[in-house]
Amino acid sequence: MGEQDAAEIIWSRQALNQKQRISDYFEYYAPAYCLKLMKAIYDAIHKMARHPHAYPPDGRKWNNNGTYRFLVVYSYRVSFRIVGNTCRIVGIRHVKQEAKMY
């Protein structure tokens, strides 16, 4: 499937804020790792956009009708929602953070 077949990626404000906090932390403490991590997250999200239904349903979403799914990159859980030809990134959390239902 070509890039033109990929779903549009939209970031929620919450996900952008979470990504920025992660980036700020690692930029201060481990700049080289920060670049590696952010690139890996973006690459995984763009790969996901070509086949979003290949990822498992997000069990942390209340009453999930199957449109909320997730992927894991370097111990970071990226939650997203599939709506038509759009994948909305709804959150990014470290897998060891307290699990929160949403």
Side-chain angles (χ1 to χ4, degrees):
M1 182 176 272
E3 191 67 33
Q4 67 275 12
D5 298 321
E8 178 183 11
I9 300 166
I10 298 173
W11 289 75
S12 71
R13 186 175 312 226
Q14 175 178 318
L16 284 172
N17 288 338
Q18 291 167 336
K19 179 185 67 72
Q20 189 62 52
R21 283 194 307 272
I22 293 164
S23 178
D24 289 347
Y25 176 84
F26 283 111
E27 191 172 350
Y28 182 78
Y29 290 104
Y33 180 74
C34 180
L35 291 173
K36 182 178 177 181
L37 174 62
M38 291 298 121
K39 182 180 181 333
I41 289 172
Y42 281 113
D43 289 350
I45 288 170
H46 286 285
K47 179 181 175 186
M48 170 276 295
R50 290 189 298 276
H51 303 286
H53 293 282
Y55 295 85
D58 193 342
R60 294 183 183 166
K61 171 67 178 145
W62 291 100
N63 300 317
N64 186 354
N65 61 3
T67 61
Y68 288 89
R69 296 175 178 257
F70 76 97
L71 59 97
V72 176
V73 181
Y74 290 158
S75 299
Y76 283 89
R77 186 179 217 274
V78 179
S79 299
F80 62 95
R81 182 174 188 206
I82 305 165
V83 180
N85 194 36
T86 301
C87 290
R88 181 174 179 83
I89 309 302
V90 295
I92 302 176
R93 302 175 62 83
H94 192 277
V95 296
K96 291 201 175 191
Q97 282 183 287
E98 182 180 343
K100 290 187 177 182
M101 298 297 282
Y102 64 100

